[in-house]
Amino acid sequence: MRVDIISIFPEYFAPLDVSLMGKARERGLLDVHVHQLRDWAHDVHRTVDDTPYGGGPGMVMKPEVWGDAIDAVVARGRASAGEGLPRMVVPTPSGRPFTQEVALEYAAEPWLLFAPARYEGIDSRVVAEYGTPLRADEVSIGDYVLAGGEAAVLVIVEAVGRLLPGVLGNARSVADDSFAPGAMANLLEGPVYTKPPVWRGHEVPQILLSGHHGRIARWRRDEALRRTLGKRPELVGRIGEESLDKDDRRVIEEFEERRSAASFRAGPEDMAD
Ligand code: ADE
């Protein structure tokens, strides 16, 4: 996969040299090109922003600079990589949520072009201009506001990069991810352990030492369900009835019984009557 990133902080992307993404790049599975947006500015001060029409705080990134940068980066990429156009990704807190499903969608693209903004964002005509030809996609990595889109690009490139064929040694580790489609879809991963069997008095659950693969798989699913019920109950609601077996229903019922018993104990005002 080819990845182009246009930013006023190219140095922000140094982490892509490290660890799994660094190895993927060394092995030619991920071909990352980072560009300085200011190289396409039109004045000696290399200005990339201006005051917003309609007033208000902050600055807006100039459309002419972004337009020239995108055109040049796309032309260069086509000259070296051949046919086709990139999928353009614009991180913004006002975009659609970036999820594992979107990561899988991007992982199927041969070429991604990231346009991370600073300040109050990029003049909206840029997404209007490239929306159709580059299938521009505005995405948010969460309901919080970052100082700019660069950190979001790092998150997205890592989530997508690890899905590329050959990047992870063991293909099963992708299939077992929380949020991956399949039998464990919508379940958070449960607890994991390694040696020693006892650490500071904490024991590894006996079942994991039993060598009984069927029971271990069941235990892992129970734990995943309990964790999801506790931390992300809305995800359990997304699991289709047909994907829940009788053991799953038992875990859900037990969890609900324990929760209602706990809330009864925690509510002395109900007991006062
Ligand atoms: N830029 C600023 N905040 C962001 C967010 N939450 N997601 C994506 N891009 C952003």
Side-chain angles (χ1 to χ4, degrees):
M1 170 182 278
R2 181 181 170 111
V3 168
D4 282 279
I5 305 168
I6 306 171
S7 163
I8 56 169
F9 296 118
E11 62 277 22
Y12 214 104
F13 301 95
L16 296 178
D17 292 337
V18 181
S19 185
L20 199 68
M21 295 303 103
K23 289 212 186 75
R25 293 176 71 181
E26 271 170 27
R27 291 159 60 202
L29 303 170
L30 191 62
D31 180 23
V32 180
H33 301 256
V34 184
H35 313 271
Q36 169 56 266
L37 176 68
R38 291 191 196 278
D39 290 350
W40 286 277
H42 299 179
D43 63 332
V44 287
H45 304 294
R46 314 229 292 165
T47 308
V48 294
D49 60 337
D50 206 338
T51 52
Y53 273 123
M59 301 290 270
V60 174
M61 296 189 100
K62 293 163 72 63
E64 316 94 299
V65 181
W66 271 107
D68 289 355
I70 293 166
D71 290 347
V73 167
V74 169
R76 267 187 225 168
R78 281 166 71 102
S80 67
E83 289 304 299
L85 288 167
R87 173 83 176 264
M88 181 171 156
V89 181
V90 184
T92 160
S94 43
R96 68 168 168 144
F98 177 71
T99 60
Q100 189 68 15
E101 211 174 323
V102 180
L104 283 158
E105 190 187 315
Y106 290 173
E109 300 278 351
W111 185 8
L112 296 175
L113 165 59
F114 288 93
R118 286 269 144 181
Y119 318 113
E120 295 302 307
I122 303 174
D123 185 302
S124 295
R125 290 168 291 182
V126 173
V127 167
E129 168 75 4
Y130 294 101
T132 304
L134 303 188
R135 294 168 296 140
D137 204 8
E138 293 177 289
V139 288
S140 165
I141 63 160
D143 291 340
Y144 40 77
V145 180
L146 302 166
E150 282 78 6
V153 172
L154 287 175
V155 167
I156 297 170
V157 170
E158 186 160 316
V160 172
R162 67 186 284 286
L163 295 173
L164 299 177
V167 170
L168 284 185
N170 182 353
R172 265 205 44 213
S173 32
V174 170
D176 283 354
D177 285 344
S178 297
F179 313 115
M184 297 297 269
N186 292 308
L187 288 179
L188 303 182
E189 271 176 56
V192 293
Y193 303 89
T194 184
K195 291 175 269 307
V198 183
W199 177 73
R200 296 190 182 179
H202 303 271
E203 287 181 18
V204 171
Q206 283 301 312
I207 180 82
L208 296 177
L209 313 178
S210 70
H212 198 300
H213 298 302
R215 280 196 221 140
I216 291 173
R218 182 65 246 175
W219 179 86
R220 286 197 169 133
R221 187 166 170 93
D222 289 356
E223 290 299 311
L225 250 176
R226 287 192 194 107
R227 180 171 281 194
T228 314
L229 285 160
K231 297 189 176 168
R232 299 285 305 276
E234 81 283 6
L235 291 180
V236 179
R238 285 191 217 156
I239 305 174
E241 275 299 310
E242 70 291 348
S243 307
L244 293 172
D245 63 22
K246 76 174 196 329
D247 290 317
D248 294 339
R249 284 183 238 278
R250 168 184 52 78
V251 171
I252 295 169
E253 268 167 36
E254 281 170 9
F255 187 89
E256 279 164 3
E257 274 163 24
R258 246 181 296 129
R259 195 171 39 194
S260 52
S263 70
F264 187 68
R265 279 197 303 277
E269 67 278 9
D270 298 335
M271 305 279 285
D273 298 335

